[in-house]
Amino acid sequence: MERSTTKKVLGLRQMVIVGMLSGISIFMGLTGLGFIPLPFMKATIMHIPVIIGAIVEGPIVGALVGGVFGLFSMYQAFTAPGPTSFVFYNPIVAIVPRVLIAIVAYYVYRALKNKFKKDSLPIGIAAVLATLTNTVGVLGLTYVFYLEKYSHALGIAPSATGAALATVGVTNGIPEAILSAVITIPVVATLRKIKK
């Protein structure tokens, strides 16, 4: 009988990493450790395990971790609702941008990794662009699906909602992108050494 040469989509190590990184993301959300207080905002770092998983183990691992992060966002929205939590009741808003984090992180890193002498620059750029993908994805989908409802929840005119979302994108997205690069670079470098 001929042995199948079909490669498994995920090996045992990759499944363990998916579980570990998903667990870290959920732990950060439940304990509040996924939010770093800055002078003017709380920056989230809950997406960083998705970026790390994608760069170290590939887009499938990253996308699975991103899917878990998205499902956890939905869980949080239902169990501890705030004025705009309804946005995350929608799996398209809650999950799709989180999966895209992994796709962007992996392919940006892959495109840049041989163009620089040091690996830290491609990792940092991938982390920044992946973070911005999440920010733009969530806010953009909020605008598309919930313009009226979101403006009502914030008590602003629908015509001002686009500007309000763009402001959130700039004030939250840019610090989060920088923070994700600062954290991701040393973590990925350490994991690469362990893998070798």
Side-chain angles (χ1 to χ4, degrees), residues 68-83:
V68 171
F69 173 30
L71 288 169
F72 181 71
S73 298
M74 291 180 75
Y75 167 80
Q76 275 191 315
F78 282 112
T79 57

Side-chain angles (χ1 to χ4, degrees), residues 17 37 63 75 102 105-106 122-123 159 164 192:
I17 288 170
Y75 167 80
Y106 175 77
I123 293 168
S159 58
R192 283 266 160 80

Side-chain angles (χ1 to χ4, degrees), residues 45 48 120 123-125 127-128 131 175-188:
I45 56 169
I48 292 176
S120 56
I123 293 168
I125 294 168
V128 166
T131 302
E176 285 172 2
I178 293 165
L179 199 57
S180 77
V182 168
I183 295 170
T184 302
I185 291 167
V187 172
V188 169

Side-chain angles (χ1 to χ4, degrees), residues 6 23-24 29 49-50 55 57 104 110 142 161 166 168 180:
T6 310
I24 290 169
V50 182
I55 293 174
E57 291 293 339
V104 170
R110 191 173 165 193
T142 298
T161 304
V168 171
S180 77

Side-chain angles (χ1 to χ4, degrees), residues 77-170:
F78 282 112
T79 57
T84 58
S85 291
F86 60 85
V87 168
F88 294 104
Y89 296 168
N90 184 337
I92 296 171
V93 181
I95 297 170
V96 172
R98 276 62 195 270
V99 171
L100 287 175
I101 294 170
I103 308 301
V104 170
Y106 175 77
Y107 285 104
V108 168
Y109 172 73
R110 191 173 165 193
L112 297 177
K113 71 177 181 177
N114 295 323
K115 293 186 175 19
F116 298 94
K117 285 182 181 176
K118 288 193 172 182
D119 211 27
S120 56
L121 203 52
I123 293 168
I125 294 168
V128 166
L129 292 178
T131 302
L132 293 176
T133 298
N134 180 51
T135 303
V136 171
V138 169
L139 296 176
L141 290 169
T142 298
Y143 185 86
V144 169
F145 289 115
Y146 299 110
L147 175 63
E148 295 280 336
K149 201 171 176 181
Y150 191 84
S151 60
H152 180 71
L154 294 185
I156 57 174
S159 58
T161 304
L165 288 168
T167 303
V168 171
V170 171

